[in-house]
Amino acid sequence: MDHINKDDLSWDEWDEMVRPTSETTDFDKIVESGLSRRGFLGGLVAFGSGAAVMGLGTGASLLSSTSARAQDAGRFAFSPVGVATDSTVHVPEGYTWDILVKWGDKLVSDAHDFSHEAGVPISSADKVFGENTDGMELFAVGDKQVIAVNSEYVNPKINLPHTEDGTPQTADDVRMLQNFQGVTVMEVEEGENGWRVVVDSPFNRRITHNTEMAISGPAAGHDLLKTEADPTGTRSLGTFNNCGAGKTPWGTYLTCEENFNGYFGSTDPAIELPEDFKRYGIAAESRYSYEKFDDRFDISKNINEPRRAGYIVEIDPSDPASTPVKRSALGRFKHENAACALAPNGQVIVYMGDDERGEFLYKFVSSGTYTPGASTDGLLDNGTLYVAKFADDGTGEWMALTPETTGMSLEEISIFTRMAASKVEATTMDRPEWVAVNPVAVEAYCALTNNKNRGVKPNAGGDDTAVNGPNPREKNNYGQIVRWYPENDDHADTKFKWDLYVMAGNPDVHSGTPYAGSDNVHAGNMFNSPDGMMFDTSGLLWIQTDGNYKNEGDFAGMGNNQMLVGDPVTGQIERFMTVPYGSEVTGITWSTDRRTLFVGIQHPAAPFPDGEGKLARSSVIAVKRADNALIG
Ligand code: FEO
Ligand code: CA
Ligand code: CA
């Protein structure tokens, strides 16, 4: 495997290489499901008439002709942009964009200036804006605006410019990478020259792979979470692979630990790995060699350390001295984001995807209820975790994960959540990425980014991944967005109806097949791999992609990654932005006056943003309308 440069692989490609799932799909089951699949996909091709099943009739049928689209801008206040293959950002006419912050920019004035030759010295690594920007939320704290934003992972070839190929050579190199990741909390303000980070603001804070945090909920104090350094199993260091995010109704930030498995390795290659490591992809080989220089990440010495990662962490952005809390009641898996909703009676719902091929979609429902101004203690510690089961007839059910339904203890359910969900036979999904909750209708959406293993092989737990209702295409390279409507207009209800909002595809390459996509996909808005998603206050859905940007073969005509806007009512989707070659667009939030939209550009290739011959730097950009009107 050494000839493969891990730096060039996405996390899912890396997982597949290090811990491939076995090819043990029951062939009979594939054949059997193929029969129903053919029937089902037959319906999808004739999408308009398949409305009863897919619920897409309104949008899809309205969008059947290009001329109708050109004449009707719908609720969109912009003219769509074309595809791009270049190394910059494009926004519609009448809009502007500018850079707010780049990896390595100072949060405090005593940090070193960024250098394109040397990067950031170790003494400043936790005093600058982190690498690989991802989920973010903006908070109003008094009259200040504070953004909490994730730094998901690192690009070692860029971050360690003094090394030959980005492989850490010393404990300092590892510490540097650890300090570039986690979360940045920073105050921002808009002045005459645009937006800037308020250097030295008391709110500015870095949370890294070594920041102390508390563990709460059922798993806290369990033997599986105890280590020599923390015999109580209630305090851990660091938050890992912070991907998407969320915002609670009480104004705290939820950061989501996704591909945590990749940080742990073994200095003893012959180590026998426990069964749960297999399901979570924890292997003897790590991605960044932490274990060679930092014993905490060496599973041959600290077998429980990986069981202290894979959670959702709550952070109070208004209090820089607060201790982040790992909320184990929300389960342990490759958490993508955390989309909060409130039930009519005040119960708190957190929707969560587990982004791995064939894993599941979850929700947490609090036992207690939220009342503005009242204590929120325990709301994210006491409640029920559910996993989604979709029926092909457009109905679905949230299956409670309890000792009765799983045969596991509550503690085990919160640590080995994937196994609990397999026991209730949840629906295997095509990599659930962000969930978005519509603020103007009782419905929620989940981006199912893609799954080349659909119909090919089971998930890491051996669960069958034959095509099913919301995941109807085998070898799914394009992705789709599923949405659901809770019964009784109550997100806490255990029953729902569902349909597909869109199936991405390529109508030029795959005309007349399900891989052309649904009827609301056309030559002018083609995209693949929906990932980040957020509703604006008007109920429009902003969709960000993290897909194949080679613009050839199955992906010809799609260009670089992009951000689109979707109307949930009509089904119309149009392209708002394209991002530089090599990057994905991920993370979206608004200024308090909603006249600025902040968007994250992750892992761009040079020359973005600083020019030819310079280091590429992930960045958050500020998008505005030239007339300073509202932007969602
Ligand atoms: Fe970090 Fe699933 O995206
Ligand atoms: Ca993502
Ligand atoms: Ca992704």
Side-chain angles (χ1 to χ4, degrees):
M1 289 183 190
D2 281 341
H3 60 285
I4 297 172
N5 191 325
K6 287 185 281 187
D7 216 16
D8 297 332
L9 298 177
S10 67
W11 278 92
D12 53 298
E13 289 166 338
W14 182 82
D15 268 341
E16 192 87 359
M17 182 187 83
V18 176
R19 291 298 296 253
T21 48
S22 57
E23 308 250 3
T24 55
T25 297
D26 182 333
F27 185 69
D28 289 341
K29 275 188 185 161
I30 291 270
V31 172
E32 198 181 299
S33 73
L35 293 172
S36 55
R37 177 168 71 246
R38 274 191 294 277
F40 194 65
L41 293 183
L44 281 178
V45 174
F47 228 7
S49 60
V53 176
M54 305 306 298
L56 264 169
T58 39
S61 55
L62 281 175
L63 295 173
S64 52
S65 93
T66 308
S67 55
R69 273 194 308 275
Q71 288 160 13
D72 180 11
R75 288 204 285 150
F76 302 130
F78 64 91
S79 299
V81 300
V83 293
T85 55
D86 61 7
S87 294
T88 189
V89 174
H90 295 276
V91 292
E93 211 181 310
Y95 288 76
T96 63
W97 69 274
D98 204 355
I99 288 182
L100 169 70
V101 65
K102 306 180 253 200
W103 163 61
D105 280 352
K106 293 176 177 189
L107 299 174
V108 291
S109 49
D110 71 350
H112 280 77
D113 288 329
F114 184 83
S115 155
H116 278 283
E117 289 68 45
V120 178
I122 184 164
S123 60
S124 293
D126 60 354
K127 298 176 178 176
V128 297
F129 184 66
E131 174 63 302
N132 275 344
T133 187
D134 209 310
M136 60 180 155
E137 293 281 359
L138 184 138
F139 299 86
V141 183
D143 60 352
K144 309 290 188 194
Q145 300 190 59
V146 175
I147 291 179
V149 49
N150 293 340
S151 283
E152 187 180 27
Y153 61 107
V154 280
N155 303 300
K157 277 193 282 193
I158 294 170
N159 308 131
L160 302 176
H162 57 281
T163 61
E164 201 173 315
D165 64 354
T167 305
Q169 301 298 320
T170 64
D172 274 2
D173 287 348
V174 164
R175 180 54 69 115
M176 187 130 68
L177 296 182
Q178 292 172 343
N179 285 355
F180 287 146
Q181 297 169 76
V183 177
T184 298
V185 183
M186 58 189 186
E187 184 185 339
V188 296
E189 71 175 8
E190 188 175 28
E192 278 180 10
N193 297 316
W195 284 90
R196 68 171 190 112
V197 173
V198 181
V199 174
D200 294 327
S201 162
F203 294 108
N204 293 358
R205 178 183 191 187
R206 282 298 317 285
I207 292 162
T208 71
H209 285 185
N210 291 293
T211 303
E212 182 166 334
M213 31 203 79
I215 303 170
S216 75
H222 192 277
D223 282 350
L224 285 164
L225 266 55
K226 292 175 180 166
T227 63
E228 209 173 296
D230 172 26
T232 69
T234 60
R235 311 290 290 186
S236 73
L237 296 182
T239 179
F240 303 96
N241 211 264
N242 307 79
C243 184
K247 188 184 205 171
T248 63
W250 48 95
T252 57
Y253 184 64
L254 299 175
T255 184
C256 303
E257 299 186 329
E258 192 188 17
N259 295 297
F260 66 92
N261 55 317
Y263 298 101
F264 302 93
S266 175
T267 53
D268 170 12
I271 186 174
E272 244 183 70
L273 298 169
E275 190 61 20
D276 61 293
F277 279 29
K278 177 168 173 260
R279 183 65 186 269
Y280 284 92
I282 300 154
E285 183 178 357
S286 75
R287 186 151 173 144
Y288 301 127
S289 306
Y290 282 12
E291 75 282 4
K292 293 183 181 141
F293 304 99
D294 187 342
D295 281 356
R296 190 156 67 90
F297 297 88
D298 184 349
I299 52 179
S300 72
K301 299 185 177 118
N302 283 296
I303 196 77
N304 279 347
E305 197 65 34
R307 295 171 176 142
R308 292 146 64 88
Y311 298 100
I312 284 180
V313 183
E314 185 177 11
I315 295 168
D316 182 355
S318 72
D319 179 4
S322 59
T323 302
V325 184
K326 295 199 163 189
R327 299 288 183 193
S328 71
L330 304 183
R332 175 170 170 264
F333 43 87
K334 293 188 177 180
H335 278 286
E336 181 69 23
N337 85 328
C340 294
L342 282 175
N345 71 356
Q347 282 179 292
V348 180
I349 291 89
V350 187
Y351 287 114
M352 304 170 285
D354 180 355
D355 179 9
E356 183 144 9
R357 298 183 183 105
E359 290 296 340
F360 308 120
L361 174 66
Y362 296 86
K363 78 169 177 181
F364 169 85
V365 180
S366 67
S367 302
T369 57
Y370 168 67
T371 308
S375 167
T376 56
D377 286 356
L379 278 182
L380 296 184
D381 293 332
N382 305 305
T384 305
L385 200 52
Y386 296 85
V387 65
K389 195 167 192 168
F390 294 80
D392 287 356
D393 66 358
T395 65
E397 188 172 357
W398 291 101
M399 313 291 290
L401 301 178
T402 66
E404 294 71 37
T405 60
T406 64
M408 297 164 68
S409 69
L410 268 185
E411 293 88 339
E412 289 167 339
I413 291 167
S414 63
I415 302 170
F416 301 136
T417 311
R418 285 182 165 181
M419 290 81 126
S422 288
K423 292 205 175 192
V424 301
E425 299 181 343
T427 301
T428 60
M429 307 297 282
D430 286 348
R431 297 187 53 202
E433 300 251 26
W434 292 38
V435 176
V437 177
N438 191 339
V440 302
V442 185
E443 59 183 27
Y445 292 59
C446 180
L448 301 167
T449 197
N450 58 53
N451 182 1
K452 68 178 184 185
N453 290 348
R454 173 62 62 189
V456 176
K457 58 181 183 175
N459 71 9
D463 300 323
D464 183 86
T465 67
V467 292
N468 59 45
N471 307 278
R473 293 175 295 183
E474 65 179 23
K475 295 180 189 162
N476 172 19
N477 285 328
Y478 293 128
Q480 64 270 8
I481 296 174
V482 64
R483 66 179 161 187
W484 57 97
Y485 314 90
E487 284 285 300
N488 300 310
D489 284 345
D490 182 354
H491 283 288
D493 203 287
T494 57
K495 297 273 187 5
F496 60 88
K497 295 200 167 55
W498 66 270
D499 62 23
L500 290 179
Y501 173 63
V502 64
M503 287 205 307
N506 194 323
D508 286 351
V509 175
H510 293 293
S511 175
T513 83
Y515 299 91
S518 47
D519 279 1
N520 50 349
V521 169
H522 51 83
N525 72 356
M526 274 195 276
F527 64 97
N528 73 89
S529 307
D531 186 334
M533 277 196 317
M534 187 87 76
F535 274 96
D536 65 25
T537 53
S538 73
L540 290 176
L541 179 65
W542 296 71
I543 304 164
Q544 305 178 316
T545 72
D546 168 24
N548 185 306
Y549 47 79
K550 301 294 187 202
N551 201 32
E552 60 190 25
D554 281 350
F555 308 99
M558 295 181 179
N560 294 349
N561 276 306
Q562 49 188 287
M563 183 161 74
L564 308 106
V565 185
D567 184 332
V569 178
T570 63
Q572 184 177 3
I573 296 173
E574 301 296 354
R575 186 182 298 119
F576 178 85
M577 174 190 283
T578 58
V579 294
Y581 183 82
S583 67
E584 73 175 90
V585 53
T586 183
I588 175 168
T589 192
W590 283 261
S591 60
T592 50
D593 65 6
R594 312 223 36 121
R595 294 177 198 280
T596 302
L597 174 63
F598 298 102
V599 179
I601 311 284
Q602 194 195 78
H603 62 79
F608 189 86
D610 290 333
E612 289 294 348
K614 308 283 181 156
L615 294 177
R617 302 163 76 185
S618 321
S619 306
V620 174
I621 63 170
V623 178
K624 293 183 72 72
R625 275 178 55 146
D627 61 5
N628 203 32
L630 298 175
I631 191 170

